[in-house]
mmCIF file of all heavy atoms in Angstrom:
data_model
loop_
_atom_site.group_PDB
_atom_site.id
_atom_site.type_symbol
_atom_site.label_atom_id
_atom_site.label_comp_id
_atom_site.label_asym_id
_atom_site.label_seq_id
_atom_site.Cartn_x
_atom_site.Cartn_y
_atom_site.Cartn_z
ATOM 1 N N PRO A 1 116.397 64.366 145.872
ATOM 2 C CA PRO A 1 115.447 65.483 145.965
ATOM 3 C C PRO A 1 116.102 66.779 146.449
ATOM 4 O O PRO A 1 115.678 67.862 146.070
ATOM 5 C CB PRO A 1 114.406 64.981 146.966
ATOM 6 C CG PRO A 1 115.117 63.941 147.771
ATOM 7 C CD PRO A 1 116.074 63.287 146.829
ATOM 8 N N ARG A 2 117.140 66.655 147.289
ATOM 9 C CA ARG A 2 117.810 67.861 147.783
ATOM 10 C C ARG A 2 118.496 68.598 146.639
ATOM 11 O O ARG A 2 118.424 69.824 146.560
ATOM 12 C CB ARG A 2 118.837 67.479 148.852
ATOM 13 C CG ARG A 2 119.570 68.680 149.456
ATOM 14 C CD ARG A 2 120.514 68.264 150.564
ATOM 15 N NE ARG A 2 119.782 67.624 151.655
ATOM 16 C CZ ARG A 2 120.373 67.122 152.725
ATOM 17 N NH1 ARG A 2 121.698 67.164 152.845
ATOM 18 N NH2 ARG A 2 119.648 66.558 153.684
ATOM 19 N N PHE A 3 119.143 67.854 145.741
ATOM 20 C CA PHE A 3 119.804 68.484 144.591
ATOM 21 C C PHE A 3 118.772 69.153 143.694
ATOM 22 O O PHE A 3 118.999 70.251 143.187
ATOM 23 C CB PHE A 3 120.585 67.435 143.801
ATOM 24 C CG PHE A 3 121.559 68.021 142.824
ATOM 25 C CD1 PHE A 3 122.891 68.151 143.148
ATOM 26 C CD2 PHE A 3 121.134 68.452 141.569
ATOM 27 C CE1 PHE A 3 123.805 68.700 142.249
ATOM 28 C CE2 PHE A 3 122.033 68.998 140.662
ATOM 29 C CZ PHE A 3 123.376 69.116 140.996
ATOM 30 N N ALA A 4 117.632 68.484 143.494
ATOM 31 C CA ALA A 4 116.570 69.059 142.673
ATOM 32 C C ALA A 4 116.052 70.351 143.296
ATOM 33 O O ALA A 4 115.795 71.335 142.592
ATOM 34 C CB ALA A 4 115.429 68.054 142.514
ATOM 35 N N MET A 5 115.910 70.357 144.628
ATOM 36 C CA MET A 5 115.449 71.558 145.317
ATOM 37 C C MET A 5 116.465 72.682 145.192
ATOM 38 O O MET A 5 116.116 73.842 144.924
ATOM 39 C CB MET A 5 115.204 71.258 146.797
ATOM 40 C CG MET A 5 114.712 72.457 147.597
ATOM 41 S SD MET A 5 114.718 72.178 149.372
ATOM 42 C CE MET A 5 116.487 72.122 149.700
ATOM 43 N N VAL A 6 117.749 72.349 145.321
ATOM 44 C CA VAL A 6 118.798 73.366 145.235
ATOM 45 C C VAL A 6 118.824 73.993 143.846
ATOM 46 O O VAL A 6 119.017 75.202 143.703
ATOM 47 C CB VAL A 6 120.171 72.746 145.578
ATOM 48 C CG1 VAL A 6 121.302 73.729 145.256
ATOM 49 C CG2 VAL A 6 120.230 72.374 147.049
ATOM 50 N N SER A 7 118.631 73.188 142.811
ATOM 51 C CA SER A 7 118.635 73.728 141.448
ATOM 52 C C SER A 7 117.505 74.730 141.260
ATOM 53 O O SER A 7 117.674 75.767 140.609
ATOM 54 C CB SER A 7 118.518 72.595 140.425
ATOM 55 O OG SER A 7 117.234 72.006 140.448
ATOM 56 N N THR A 8 116.337 74.435 141.848
ATOM 57 C CA THR A 8 115.202 75.354 141.759
ATOM 58 C C THR A 8 115.456 76.625 142.568
ATOM 59 O O THR A 8 115.214 77.736 142.100
ATOM 60 C CB THR A 8 113.920 74.671 142.262
ATOM 61 O OG1 THR A 8 113.675 73.495 141.479
ATOM 62 C CG2 THR A 8 112.722 75.602 142.141
ATOM 63 N N VAL A 9 115.959 76.440 143.787
ATOM 64 C CA VAL A 9 116.232 77.587 144.657
ATOM 65 C C VAL A 9 117.325 78.473 144.061
ATOM 66 O O VAL A 9 117.241 79.707 144.120
ATOM 67 C CB VAL A 9 116.638 77.110 146.066
ATOM 68 C CG1 VAL A 9 117.113 78.278 146.919
ATOM 69 C CG2 VAL A 9 115.465 76.414 146.746
ATOM 70 N N ALA A 10 118.342 77.864 143.475
ATOM 71 C CA ALA A 10 119.433 78.638 142.870
ATOM 72 C C ALA A 10 118.903 79.550 141.766
ATOM 73 O O ALA A 10 119.291 80.724 141.671
ATOM 74 C CB ALA A 10 120.496 77.688 142.317
ATOM 75 N N GLY A 11 118.011 79.010 140.944
ATOM 76 C CA GLY A 11 117.416 79.824 139.893
ATOM 77 C C GLY A 11 116.562 80.941 140.447
ATOM 78 O O GLY A 11 116.605 82.074 139.954
ATOM 79 N N ALA A 12 115.792 80.641 141.497
ATOM 80 C CA ALA A 12 114.932 81.659 142.109
ATOM 81 C C ALA A 12 115.755 82.779 142.729
ATOM 82 O O ALA A 12 115.434 83.973 142.571
ATOM 83 C CB ALA A 12 114.033 81.015 143.155
ATOM 84 N N VAL A 13 116.824 82.426 143.433
ATOM 85 C CA VAL A 13 117.690 83.436 144.062
ATOM 86 C C VAL A 13 118.355 84.302 142.993
ATOM 87 O O VAL A 13 118.436 85.540 143.130
ATOM 88 C CB VAL A 13 118.752 82.755 144.945
ATOM 89 C CG1 VAL A 13 119.790 83.775 145.426
ATOM 90 C CG2 VAL A 13 118.099 82.081 146.142
ATOM 91 N N ALA A 14 118.823 83.669 141.918
ATOM 92 C CA ALA A 14 119.439 84.433 140.822
ATOM 93 C C ALA A 14 118.440 85.424 140.227
ATOM 94 O O ALA A 14 118.786 86.567 139.911
ATOM 95 C CB ALA A 14 119.939 83.477 139.742
ATOM 96 N N ASN A 15 117.186 84.991 140.097
ATOM 97 C CA ASN A 15 116.150 85.867 139.553
ATOM 98 C C ASN A 15 115.900 87.064 140.473
ATOM 99 O O ASN A 15 115.778 88.207 140.019
ATOM 100 C CB ASN A 15 114.855 85.078 139.360
ATOM 101 C CG ASN A 15 113.902 85.747 138.394
ATOM 102 O OD1 ASN A 15 114.200 86.802 137.846
ATOM 103 N ND2 ASN A 15 112.760 85.143 138.180
ATOM 104 N N ILE A 16 115.823 86.802 141.780
ATOM 105 C CA ILE A 16 115.578 87.870 142.752
ATOM 106 C C ILE A 16 116.700 88.908 142.720
ATOM 107 O O ILE A 16 116.459 90.119 142.792
ATOM 108 C CB ILE A 16 115.439 87.276 144.170
ATOM 109 C CG1 ILE A 16 114.153 86.454 144.266
ATOM 110 C CG2 ILE A 16 115.434 88.381 145.232
ATOM 111 C CD1 ILE A 16 114.035 85.649 145.548
ATOM 112 N N ILE A 17 117.936 88.433 142.591
ATOM 113 C CA ILE A 17 119.087 89.340 142.587
ATOM 114 C C ILE A 17 119.167 90.129 141.281
ATOM 115 O O ILE A 17 119.441 91.343 141.282
ATOM 116 C CB ILE A 17 120.386 88.548 142.805
ATOM 117 C CG1 ILE A 17 120.402 87.925 144.213
ATOM 118 C CG2 ILE A 17 121.614 89.443 142.609
ATOM 119 C CD1 ILE A 17 121.555 86.983 144.450
ATOM 120 N N LEU A 18 118.935 89.458 140.170
ATOM 121 C CA LEU A 18 119.140 90.088 138.865
ATOM 122 C C LEU A 18 117.996 91.010 138.451
ATOM 123 O O LEU A 18 118.215 91.950 137.677
ATOM 124 C CB LEU A 18 119.342 89.011 137.799
ATOM 125 C CG LEU A 18 120.640 88.204 137.913
ATOM 126 C CD1 LEU A 18 120.667 87.107 136.871
ATOM 127 C CD2 LEU A 18 121.849 89.123 137.744
ATOM 128 N N ASP A 19 116.788 90.744 138.920
ATOM 129 C CA ASP A 19 115.646 91.579 138.528
ATOM 130 C C ASP A 19 115.899 93.071 138.774
ATOM 131 O O ASP A 19 115.797 93.873 137.836
ATOM 132 C CB ASP A 19 114.375 91.123 139.256
ATOM 133 C CG ASP A 19 113.494 90.261 138.363
ATOM 134 O OD1 ASP A 19 113.567 90.420 137.128
ATOM 135 O OD2 ASP A 19 112.739 89.432 138.885
ATOM 136 N N PRO A 20 116.209 93.511 140.000
ATOM 137 C CA PRO A 20 116.430 94.943 140.208
ATOM 138 C C PRO A 20 117.653 95.479 139.468
ATOM 139 O O PRO A 20 117.661 96.645 139.056
ATOM 140 C CB PRO A 20 116.618 95.053 141.732
ATOM 141 C CG PRO A 20 117.006 93.684 142.175
ATOM 142 C CD PRO A 20 116.307 92.741 141.257
ATOM 143 N N ILE A 21 118.664 94.617 139.281
ATOM 144 C CA ILE A 21 119.871 95.070 138.571
ATOM 145 C C ILE A 21 119.547 95.358 137.114
ATOM 146 O O ILE A 21 119.883 96.426 136.574
ATOM 147 C CB ILE A 21 120.983 94.012 138.680
ATOM 148 C CG1 ILE A 21 121.440 93.860 140.133
ATOM 149 C CG2 ILE A 21 122.174 94.394 137.792
ATOM 150 C CD1 ILE A 21 122.459 92.753 140.339
ATOM 151 N N PHE A 22 118.879 94.422 136.452
ATOM 152 C CA PHE A 22 118.575 94.582 135.034
ATOM 153 C C PHE A 22 117.511 95.658 134.794
ATOM 154 O O PHE A 22 117.567 96.385 133.794
ATOM 155 C CB PHE A 22 118.116 93.249 134.437
ATOM 156 C CG PHE A 22 119.213 92.233 134.280
ATOM 157 C CD1 PHE A 22 118.925 90.922 133.942
ATOM 158 C CD2 PHE A 22 120.536 92.582 134.485
ATOM 159 C CE1 PHE A 22 119.932 89.975 133.800
ATOM 160 C CE2 PHE A 22 121.557 91.652 134.345
ATOM 161 C CZ PHE A 22 121.255 90.350 134.009
ATOM 162 N N ILE A 23 116.542 95.746 135.709
ATOM 163 C CA ILE A 23 115.450 96.696 135.506
ATOM 164 C C ILE A 23 115.865 98.127 135.837
ATOM 165 O O ILE A 23 115.634 99.053 135.047
ATOM 166 C CB ILE A 23 114.222 96.296 136.356
ATOM 167 C CG1 ILE A 23 113.661 94.957 135.883
ATOM 168 C CG2 ILE A 23 113.130 97.369 136.260
ATOM 169 C CD1 ILE A 23 112.568 94.402 136.781
ATOM 170 N N PHE A 24 116.480 98.315 137.008
ATOM 171 C CA PHE A 24 116.752 99.671 137.492
ATOM 172 C C PHE A 24 118.172 100.151 137.222
ATOM 173 O O PHE A 24 118.367 101.322 136.873
ATOM 174 C CB PHE A 24 116.456 99.752 138.994
ATOM 175 C CG PHE A 24 115.044 99.394 139.345
ATOM 176 C CD1 PHE A 24 114.748 98.246 140.051
ATOM 177 C CD2 PHE A 24 113.993 100.215 138.943
ATOM 178 C CE1 PHE A 24 113.449 97.915 140.367
ATOM 179 C CE2 PHE A 24 112.684 99.893 139.244
ATOM 180 C CZ PHE A 24 112.406 98.738 139.962
ATOM 181 N N VAL A 25 119.163 99.268 137.368
ATOM 182 C CA VAL A 25 120.549 99.687 137.143
ATOM 183 C C VAL A 25 120.850 99.777 135.655
ATOM 184 O O VAL A 25 121.348 100.793 135.166
ATOM 185 C CB VAL A 25 121.529 98.717 137.837
ATOM 186 C CG1 VAL A 25 122.980 99.144 137.561
ATOM 187 C CG2 VAL A 25 121.280 98.686 139.342
ATOM 188 N N PHE A 26 120.551 98.702 134.924
ATOM 189 C CA PHE A 26 120.771 98.708 133.481
ATOM 190 C C PHE A 26 119.662 99.433 132.718
ATOM 191 O O PHE A 26 119.805 99.705 131.535
ATOM 192 C CB PHE A 26 120.893 97.284 132.956
ATOM 193 C CG PHE A 26 122.130 96.563 133.399
ATOM 194 C CD1 PHE A 26 122.322 95.232 133.082
ATOM 195 C CD2 PHE A 26 123.116 97.210 134.147
ATOM 196 C CE1 PHE A 26 123.461 94.554 133.488
ATOM 197 C CE2 PHE A 26 124.259 96.550 134.557
ATOM 198 C CZ PHE A 26 124.434 95.219 134.237
ATOM 199 N N LYS A 27 118.543 99.686 133.414
ATOM 200 C CA LYS A 27 117.391 100.382 132.820
ATOM 201 C C LYS A 27 116.850 99.646 131.586
ATOM 202 O O LYS A 27 116.531 100.252 130.566
ATOM 203 C CB LYS A 27 117.765 101.841 132.475
ATOM 204 C CG LYS A 27 118.210 102.644 133.668
ATOM 205 C CD LYS A 27 118.435 104.100 133.317
ATOM 206 C CE LYS A 27 118.980 104.884 134.497
ATOM 207 N NZ LYS A 27 118.123 104.841 135.678
ATOM 208 N N TRP A 28 116.738 98.336 131.707
ATOM 209 C CA TRP A 28 116.217 97.531 130.610
ATOM 210 C C TRP A 28 114.703 97.341 130.673
ATOM 211 O O TRP A 28 114.115 96.770 129.755
ATOM 212 C CB TRP A 28 116.890 96.161 130.612
ATOM 213 C CG TRP A 28 118.308 96.198 130.139
ATOM 214 C CD1 TRP A 28 118.961 97.254 129.595
ATOM 215 C CD2 TRP A 28 119.239 95.115 130.168
ATOM 216 N NE1 TRP A 28 120.248 96.915 129.282
ATOM 217 C CE2 TRP A 28 120.451 95.608 129.618
ATOM 218 C CE3 TRP A 28 119.186 93.796 130.596
ATOM 219 C CZ2 TRP A 28 121.593 94.815 129.487
ATOM 220 C CZ3 TRP A 28 120.311 92.995 130.469
ATOM 221 C CH2 TRP A 28 121.504 93.499 129.925
ATOM 222 N N GLY A 29 114.078 97.793 131.740
ATOM 223 C CA GLY A 29 112.628 97.711 131.842
ATOM 224 C C GLY A 29 112.104 96.294 131.799
ATOM 225 O O GLY A 29 112.629 95.390 132.442
ATOM 226 N N MET A 30 111.057 96.089 130.997
ATOM 227 C CA MET A 30 110.431 94.772 130.887
ATOM 228 C C MET A 30 111.395 93.743 130.312
ATOM 229 O O MET A 30 111.378 92.573 130.709
ATOM 230 C CB MET A 30 109.179 94.852 130.014
ATOM 231 C CG MET A 30 108.063 95.688 130.614
ATOM 232 S SD MET A 30 107.509 95.076 132.221
ATOM 233 C CE MET A 30 106.794 93.503 131.770
ATOM 234 N N MET A 31 112.250 94.190 129.400
ATOM 235 C CA MET A 31 113.251 93.275 128.854
ATOM 236 C C MET A 31 114.167 92.785 129.974
ATOM 237 O O MET A 31 114.547 91.604 130.022
ATOM 238 C CB MET A 31 114.077 93.969 127.774
ATOM 239 C CG MET A 31 115.099 93.058 127.118
ATOM 240 S SD MET A 31 116.237 93.913 126.011
ATOM 241 C CE MET A 31 117.397 94.605 127.210
ATOM 242 N N GLY A 32 114.519 93.675 130.900
ATOM 243 C CA GLY A 32 115.380 93.294 132.013
ATOM 244 C C GLY A 32 114.745 92.239 132.891
ATOM 245 O O GLY A 32 115.406 91.279 133.323
ATOM 246 N N ALA A 33 113.442 92.387 133.155
ATOM 247 C CA ALA A 33 112.730 91.391 133.961
ATOM 248 C C ALA A 33 112.729 90.036 133.265
ATOM 249 O O ALA A 33 112.925 88.990 133.906
ATOM 250 C CB ALA A 33 111.298 91.854 134.217
ATOM 251 N N ALA A 34 112.507 90.050 131.959
ATOM 252 C CA ALA A 34 112.476 88.795 131.205
ATOM 253 C C ALA A 34 113.854 88.155 131.128
ATOM 254 O O ALA A 34 114.002 86.940 131.323
ATOM 255 C CB ALA A 34 111.940 89.052 129.796
ATOM 256 N N VAL A 35 114.882 88.967 130.867
ATOM 257 C CA VAL A 35 116.246 88.431 130.747
ATOM 258 C C VAL A 35 116.709 87.860 132.089
ATOM 259 O O VAL A 35 117.382 86.832 132.138
ATOM 260 C CB VAL A 35 117.217 89.523 130.263
ATOM 261 C CG1 VAL A 35 118.665 89.045 130.343
ATOM 262 C CG2 VAL A 35 116.886 89.923 128.828
ATOM 263 N N ALA A 36 116.334 88.510 133.183
ATOM 264 C CA ALA A 36 116.678 87.991 134.511
ATOM 265 C C ALA A 36 116.042 86.620 134.730
ATOM 266 O O ALA A 36 116.667 85.703 135.274
ATOM 267 C CB ALA A 36 116.224 88.967 135.593
ATOM 268 N N THR A 37 114.799 86.488 134.291
ATOM 269 C CA THR A 37 114.109 85.200 134.417
ATOM 270 C C THR A 37 114.789 84.126 133.574
ATOM 271 O O THR A 37 115.010 82.996 134.036
ATOM 272 C CB THR A 37 112.641 85.335 133.984
ATOM 273 O OG1 THR A 37 111.986 86.295 134.823
ATOM 274 C CG2 THR A 37 111.913 84.006 134.092
ATOM 275 N N ILE A 38 115.139 84.482 132.338
ATOM 276 C CA ILE A 38 115.812 83.526 131.453
ATOM 277 C C ILE A 38 117.161 83.105 132.037
ATOM 278 O O ILE A 38 117.531 81.927 132.017
ATOM 279 C CB ILE A 38 116.008 84.136 130.052
ATOM 280 C CG1 ILE A 38 114.656 84.376 129.381
ATOM 281 C CG2 ILE A 38 116.868 83.226 129.182
ATOM 282 C CD1 ILE A 38 114.747 85.164 128.092
ATOM 283 N N PHE A 39 117.901 84.078 132.575
ATOM 284 C CA PHE A 39 119.199 83.767 133.159
ATOM 285 C C PHE A 39 119.049 82.816 134.338
ATOM 286 O O PHE A 39 119.824 81.866 134.497
ATOM 287 C CB PHE A 39 119.897 85.052 133.604
ATOM 288 C CG PHE A 39 121.323 84.853 134.024
ATOM 289 C CD1 PHE A 39 122.356 84.960 133.098
ATOM 290 C CD2 PHE A 39 121.647 84.553 135.336
ATOM 291 C CE1 PHE A 39 123.678 84.763 133.482
ATOM 292 C CE2 PHE A 39 122.946 84.357 135.734
ATOM 293 C CZ PHE A 39 123.972 84.466 134.807
ATOM 294 N N SER A 40 118.039 83.065 135.164
ATOM 295 C CA SER A 40 117.813 82.192 136.325
ATOM 296 C C SER A 40 117.436 80.782 135.882
ATOM 297 O O SER A 40 117.855 79.785 136.488
ATOM 298 C CB SER A 40 116.722 82.777 137.218
ATOM 299 O OG SER A 40 115.454 82.733 136.587
#
């Protein structure tokens, strides 16, 4: 269960980090939010 939890948390953390980068830095807007989610 710990490994399963880590896999979920890893994706969530990646999403939190990438969302502002893709949306505001790359200026991808809604596409950036979606791509960040897919990447996570």
Side-chain angles (χ1 to χ4, degrees):
R2 181 177 299 177
F3 194 97
M5 180 191 69
V6 170
S7 70
T8 302
V9 172
V13 171
N15 199 1
I16 292 171
I17 294 172
L18 292 176
D19 260 334
I21 295 175
F22 288 170
I23 295 172
F24 302 112
V25 178
F26 292 175
K27 301 186 184 302
W28 287 352
M30 294 301 294
M31 183 188 80
V35 171
T37 300
I38 295 171
F39 189 90
S40 68

